[in-house]
Amino acid sequence: MKEKTIFEKIIDREIPADILYEDQKHIVILDINPFEKGHILVIPKKNYETILDMSEEDFLDLQKIVLKFAKKVHSVFGGGLNVNQNNYKEANQEVPHVHFHIFPRTENKKLYHSENHTGKYTSEEEKKEIIENLKI
Ligand code: 5GP
């Protein structure tokens, strides 16, 4: 059997967490290593590894909870707000179980450094090809 993710263990109460909200399909917890105070994780209980594995219905249900908590975090902390979600190792996903990060931005700390934005297109042709490939 596949080993449980850390979030499944939290959902099953095998390890502790600070739980803010729970319903049949979701759990919302404090991140153990917050970027800022108030950093929370919105997690579907079903163990989808990435959002690409999710059904549209489950994704939309999850977004409703994300929006509610985004508004709540902003109402408590003010300032800026990030909603982030990582898929696969290349995108820094550490826990292979879908989760949305929500955290306030009240300090002048950079999350994305402009020097890391190195994905420049080498030509107009290359850019046009990528645009064509990305159309749905
Ligand atoms: P990722 O890089 O996968 O998008 O983020 C995983 C997040 O889960 C990290 O921000 C990390 O601090 C958090 N995390 C990892 N293990 C635990 C845990 O045992 N409990 C809680 N509450 N958060 C965790």
Side-chain angles (χ1 to χ4, degrees):
M1 211 175 84
K2 218 177 110 195
E3 212 203 312
K4 283 185 182 180
T5 65
I6 199 92
F7 296 153
E8 282 173 290
K9 290 180 185 167
I10 288 172
I11 292 160
D12 293 342
R13 303 299 196 273
E14 289 168 16
I15 62 168
D18 297 294
I19 299 171
L20 283 90
Y21 172 86
E22 186 170 24
D23 64 26
Q24 268 195 325
K25 293 178 73 172
H26 313 96
I27 192 164
V28 180
I29 61 173
L30 281 189
D31 195 294
I32 206 167
N33 184 23
F35 186 79
E36 280 199 27
K37 288 175 195 142
H39 183 164
I40 63 172
L41 302 171
V42 181
I43 305 165
K45 287 188 174 173
K46 192 164 170 187
N47 173 222
Y48 291 113
E49 180 175 351
T50 75
I51 59 165
L52 305 181
D53 305 309
M54 295 187 77
S55 66
E56 190 173 276
E57 185 188 350
D58 285 351
F59 184 77
L60 294 177
D61 283 349
L62 179 64
Q63 291 315 294
K64 287 182 189 163
I65 309 296
V66 168
L67 183 60
K68 280 186 182 154
F69 274 94
K71 289 180 177 178
K72 186 70 181 177
V73 168
H74 188 254
S75 76
V76 171
F77 293 96
L81 180 80
N82 273 115
V83 177
N84 291 359
Q85 195 273 323
N86 303 323
N87 298 286
Y88 302 118
K89 282 197 175 71
E90 295 86 338
N92 300 323
Q93 182 179 11
E94 285 171 19
V95 180
H97 184 138
V98 167
H99 52 284
F100 276 77
H101 296 257
I102 301 176
F103 48 95
R105 300 295 301 279
T106 58
E107 297 169 23
N108 189 20
K109 281 194 299 192
K110 276 195 179 155
L111 184 63
Y112 302 111
H113 292 268
S114 56
E115 63 266 26
N116 288 338
H117 290 226
T118 56
K120 288 201 172 44
Y121 303 104
T122 53
S123 64
E124 277 305 305
E125 287 69 39
E126 184 192 37
K127 187 161 82 174
K128 276 189 192 128
E129 190 184 336
I130 289 172
I131 290 170
E132 286 309 312
N133 288 340
L134 286 175
K135 284 184 180 167
I136 54 171

